[in-house]
Amino acid sequence: MRVAIFGGTFDPIHSAHLVVAREAARQFTLDQVLFVPDAVPPHKPDRTPFRQRLRMVQLACQDQPDFAVSDIEQANEKSYSILTLERLTLSGDEWFFLIGADAFAEITTWHRWRDVVALVTFIVVSRPSSAYAVPPGARILPLETLALDVSSTRIRADLARGEMPDELPPAVADYIRAERLYGF
Ligand code: ATP
C-alpha cells in the first residue's frame, strides 16, 4: 500500500486539511491518508486536549473510506515525529509524509531530522506565503496546485468572537458547539 502520514495539531481540523489530503491521494495515487494528531507539544500547554482533537479528526474523516485516523501519539509524552515514524514504518508499505510548506520549512529543527528524511518521501503542499528549502538527503514530491488561505489559528480566533467559520466540517462544528470549545 502507498500510505501518507498526515501529522498535525489539528486544533481544530478544517477544510484545507481535508482538501490537501484528498488532492495528495489523487495526484500521488495513495491508497490511504493516515491522520496522526500530535500529542500536546510541551511548549503549547494551551492546546485543546488530545482526546477532543482526535475526536474532531475522526468526525471529519468518517465518510472518507481512504482516510484513517491514528491515536498512536496519545501515549507520547513528547511529540517527536521520528518516534511515531519508526513505529509506523515497520510494515512493508510505501510511506509518505504529507506536510504543508510552512511546516516543512522547519524540518531541520526536528529531533533527529536526518533519520526522518531517510524514512519517508515528503509530499510538500504549497501554502500562501510559505517558501522552503529542501535539505540534503530529503526526497520530496511538491504538490503545487493548492493555495488555501485557511488556518486553525484564524478559525480559533473566529470561534472566540462567536463566529462559526464555514471551513469547519458540519460534524466538527456540531462537536465544537456541544463541547463549548474555543470559547464559542
Ligand atoms: P495553526 O494555525 O494552529 O498553526 P494549521 O492550520 O497550520 O494550525 P496544523 O494542524 O498545524 O494546522 O497543520 C497540520 C498540517 O497541515 C501541517 O503540515 C500544515 O502545514 C498543513 N496545513 C494546514 N493548513 C494548510 C493549508 N491551508 N494549506 C496547506 N497545508 C496546510
Side-chain angles (χ1 to χ4, degrees):
M1 285 222 300
R2 288 164 65 83
V3 186
I5 294 166
F6 193 16
T9 317
F10 301 115
D11 191 17
I13 190 164
H14 51 66
S15 60
H17 294 129
L18 298 171
V19 171
V20 160
R22 173 62 46 225
E23 193 57 18
R26 196 183 68 76
Q27 284 194 30
F28 301 109
T29 55
L30 303 172
D31 298 296
Q32 188 179 77
V33 177
L34 181 62
F35 289 70
V36 184
D38 297 342
V40 179
H43 56 285
K44 291 183 180 172
D46 55 333
R47 286 312 171 108
T48 307
F50 181 88
R51 178 185 62 80
Q52 288 171 313
R53 289 183 290 114
L54 175 73
R55 186 69 195 129
M56 289 188 278
V57 176
Q58 289 168 336
L59 288 167
C61 294
Q62 61 190 354
D63 301 323
Q64 317 282 334
D66 53 343
F67 292 179
V69 186
S70 169
D71 64 0
I72 192 168
E73 294 226 336
Q74 185 151 29
N76 288 1
E77 228 169 85
K78 293 196 174 160
S79 200
Y80 288 145
S81 297
I82 187 63
L83 304 179
T84 299
L85 288 175
E86 282 177 338
R87 287 169 65 193
L88 286 175
T89 57
L90 288 173
S91 76
D93 294 311
E94 196 177 347
W95 291 94
F96 299 83
F97 195 108
L98 181 56
I99 189 167
D102 59 312
F104 188 75
E106 296 177 358
I107 192 79
T108 57
T109 67
W110 290 16
H111 182 58
R112 293 174 51 201
W113 71 267
R114 288 184 179 80
D115 295 331
V116 173
V117 303
L119 272 180
V120 292
T121 299
F122 283 89
I123 299 172
V124 183
V125 187
S126 51
R127 201 172 175 178
S129 31
S130 291
Y132 61 90
V134 181
R139 288 158 289 154
I140 79 149
L141 298 170
L143 196 167
E144 288 180 336
T145 50
L146 297 175
L148 303 163
D149 192 14
V150 186
S151 71
S152 298
T153 303
R154 207 259 296 143
I155 286 177
R156 290 193 299 274
D158 287 356
L159 288 165
R161 279 199 310 273
E163 289 166 28
M164 182 56 79
D166 293 340
E167 295 92 348
L168 288 171
V172 174
D174 288 347
Y175 183 84
I176 288 171
R177 275 193 205 94
E179 301 275 310
R180 299 173 189 277
L181 295 178
Y182 308 107
F184 183 75

